[in-house]
């Protein structure tokens, strides 16, 4: 089967457009991955700081209700 040159050129343009769209999507997804990795790192650091702060604080003493009957 022989494909006419005009149809072949149209198919090549369509394929090139699809390829460009895929590359743009990959770039967008890679940027999102970097953003999520940075967020994950920041959250990990925040959790670490919270753990460190909670270890430094004295244990909270439970409060008891006033038993004097007033």
């Amino acid at each position: 089967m022989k494909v006419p040159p005009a149809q072949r050129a149209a198919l090549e343009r369509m394929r090139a457009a699809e390829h460009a769209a895929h590359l743009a999507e990959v770039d967008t997804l890679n940027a999102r991955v970097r953003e999520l990795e940075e967020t994950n790192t920041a959250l990990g650091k925040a959790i670490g700081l919270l753990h460190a702060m909670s270890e430094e604080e004295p244990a909270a003493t439970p409060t008891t209700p006033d038993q004097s009957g007033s």
Side-chain angles (χ1 to χ4, degrees), residues 30-44:
N30 282 333
R32 182 68 175 144
V33 166
R34 282 190 299 278
E35 178 186 346
L36 292 172
E37 287 174 341
E38 290 169 2
T39 301
N40 191 34
T41 299
L43 286 172

Side-chain angles (χ1 to χ4, degrees), residues 4-15:
Q7 188 177 5
R8 185 177 313 134
L11 290 172
E12 288 174 1
R13 282 192 304 273
M14 189 170 63
R15 185 177 182 290

Side-chain angles (χ1 to χ4, degrees), residues 18-58:
E18 287 175 353
H19 184 68
H22 289 154
L23 290 177
E25 184 179 12
V26 167
D27 287 342
T28 300
L29 293 173
N30 282 333
R32 182 68 175 144
V33 166
R34 282 190 299 278
E35 178 186 346
L36 292 172
E37 287 174 341
E38 290 169 2
T39 301
N40 191 34
T41 299
L43 286 172
K45 289 178 181 179
I47 290 169
L49 288 173
L50 288 173
H51 282 297
M53 289 173 58
S54 68
E55 290 172 358
E56 294 172 5
E57 294 178 4

